[in-house]
Amino acid sequence: MTLHGLYIPLITPFGADGAVALDALERLAHQVLDDGATGLVALGTTGEPGSLTEPEKQSVIETVARVSRERSAPLIVGAATAEALAALAAVPEAVAALTVVPPFVRPGEAGVLAHFARLAEASPVPIVVYDIPYRTGQYLTAGALRGLAAIGNVAGVKYAGGGINEDTVAMMADPRFAVLGGDDTFISPLLALGAHGGILSSAHLATAQFAELIRLWQAGDATRARALGHRLAPLSKALFAEPNPTVVKSALHAQGRIPTPGVRLPLLNAHPDNTATALKHLAELG
């Protein structure tokens, strides 16, 4: 299986009573697919899974899986433990699990490889490794990423290394697994290097333009792709002016697409000035 294209790591909308707004989540999932997204991600970090109860998580998965089934769209589900991965055997729509590099403990590259080898062996679906060192505290070199690619049942990596460096370039030369960009501001140069697509929170907004960016780079139309990438980068920067997904949710609420801009602690709602800046950049895209 080769993952490619644009995946939207869906936010979890909340109603005025603070409960998960499943109807709004379902509408949002349909909207982004209508606008050109390839697939959906449920319970990624953008979905605030750490603040959801187990019943809420199950409801989110069921809702997004239903949309994926109706639209024949691939679904990736955030799952970081052996138990969460095992539960995906009951989600036939799930084509992969998004599994973060173990945060905080900094086990070293050998520990990371052993960890994913064990998870992948028992997982009922392929694993997409979520490499985001500025959150996990564990940097992975190109050699470690190639080691992950060699593990059976590891389908690819969501790469959010914080920019482009020599390890990024070396990793992109390995054809064995998919690279999906996860640093929204840097998605255009990563696609230029050969990334297969992206898992992009910013693409809740301007979904069609992000999908077009991926299509243009993959078609080899560097001139148009470069220009579009330059136009999209300020939007991504604005949407990440505060901890994700606070500004994304505030912008979606301003558009009338979700009932409230609310997030759950420890996140705080976005400042109105940052929301206004994001909406300004969105309007400039046309």
Side-chain angles (χ1 to χ4, degrees):
M1 177 189 68
T2 300
L3 297 168
H4 60 86
L6 175 63
Y7 287 78
I8 309 298
L10 291 165
I11 58 101
T12 301
F14 301 121
D17 61 355
V20 176
L22 294 174
D23 288 350
L25 176 62
E26 185 170 0
R27 287 195 301 272
L28 185 63
H30 278 294
Q31 286 170 358
V32 295
L33 292 173
D34 287 342
D35 288 343
T38 305
L40 306 170
V41 180
L43 300 184
T45 51
T46 302
E48 302 174 72
S51 69
L52 302 179
T53 66
E54 290 304 318
E56 286 174 332
K57 291 178 185 178
Q58 187 59 39
S59 295
V60 166
I61 291 174
E62 290 172 356
T63 299
V64 181
R66 181 169 61 251
V67 175
S68 294
R69 182 171 61 252
E70 291 172 357
R71 302 294 297 272
S72 298
L75 169 64
I76 300 174
V77 179
T81 65
E83 293 76 15
L85 287 166
L88 295 183
V91 186
E93 297 81 9
V95 301
L98 183 61
T99 307
V100 71
V101 169
F104 187 73
V105 293
R106 300 180 69 186
E109 291 188 341
V112 170
L113 291 170
H115 173 75
F116 278 103
R118 176 173 292 183
L119 289 181
E121 183 179 13
S123 176
V125 298
I127 287 176
V128 175
V129 176
Y130 188 5
D131 179 27
I132 183 164
Y134 52 89
R135 289 185 182 269
T136 66
Q138 176 68 66
Y139 183 82
L140 298 180
T141 63
L145 292 165
R146 285 194 292 266
L148 289 169
I151 297 173
N153 210 30
V154 170
V157 61
K158 177 183 178 181
Y159 184 71
I164 306 293
N165 59 34
E166 60 184 26
D167 282 316
T168 312
V169 176
M171 173 194 65
M172 296 302 298
D174 194 315
R176 289 178 294 177
F177 71 161
V179 176
L180 299 173
D183 274 323
D184 298 30
T185 306
F186 300 106
I187 185 59
S188 189
L190 197 64
L191 289 164
L193 287 170
H196 296 74
I199 299 177
L200 305 173
S201 179
S202 299
H204 282 86
L205 294 304
T207 308
Q209 288 94 329
F210 278 101
E212 177 70 355
L213 178 70
I214 293 171
R215 188 194 69 78
L216 288 172
W217 277 119
Q218 293 181 342
D221 191 343
T223 300
R224 293 173 64 199
R226 190 178 299 113
L228 181 54
H230 284 309
R231 294 173 61 210
L232 286 168
L235 173 63
S236 292
K237 183 178 179 181
L239 290 170
F240 279 81
E242 296 184 60
N244 188 47
T246 57
V247 183
V248 170
K249 293 182 93 171
S250 185
L252 288 171
H253 174 62
Q255 291 184 321
R257 296 169 66 188
I258 58 175
T260 76
V263 292
R264 288 182 178 173
L265 291 170
L267 296 176
L268 299 173
N269 285 8
H271 191 281
D273 289 351
N274 290 325
T275 304
T277 298
L279 292 171
K280 173 179 175 289
H281 287 301
L282 182 63
E284 290 170 351
L285 283 169

